[in-house]
Amino acid sequence: MAERKLARLFDVRRVIGGLFVVYGVIVTLIGVLDGPSELEKAQGVRINLWMGLGMLAVGLLMLLWLRLNPPPEPAEPAEEESDRVA
């Protein structure tokens, strides 16, 4: 039972999707709060805002993919008669 939860918890889609969502939120907030000097450096483009929204979209797509196509259940080990101790 615990192995099943660990297999689902450490699915690479969950880890990557979660990190992209967290970093996407952070970079989006930085992009919203950019001042005039940052905008001047980027030639008037709110690059942090656009990259943050892109990262957020990729992260949410990874989590949606995980939700729609969950990992298969790990196979139960078969108990053999010779392994049992009576």
Side-chain angles (χ1 to χ4, degrees):
M1 180 80 164
E3 290 175 5
R4 291 181 193 168
K5 286 184 180 179
L6 283 176
R8 289 184 180 169
L9 181 65
F10 292 110
D11 188 319
V12 73
R13 294 173 291 184
R14 181 178 309 240
V15 174
I16 292 172
L19 285 173
F20 265 95
V21 167
V22 169
Y23 290 143
V25 168
I26 292 169
V27 174
T28 300
L29 288 175
I30 291 171
V32 168
L33 302 174
D34 275 346
S37 65
E38 286 88 7
L39 284 174
E40 185 180 325
K41 281 190 237 177
Q43 298 177 351
V45 178
R46 290 191 173 270
I47 193 71
N48 287 332
L49 177 65
W50 290 110
M51 287 296 104
L53 290 174
M55 290 172 70
L56 197 56
V58 168
L60 291 174
L61 283 173
M62 293 288 283
L63 294 175
L64 178 67
W65 179 25
L66 176 67
R67 177 96 174 174
L68 294 176
N69 189 12
E73 298 269 335
E76 291 285 330
E79 287 188 36
E80 294 188 23
E81 293 294 324
S82 61
D83 290 341
R84 288 190 192 172
V85 177

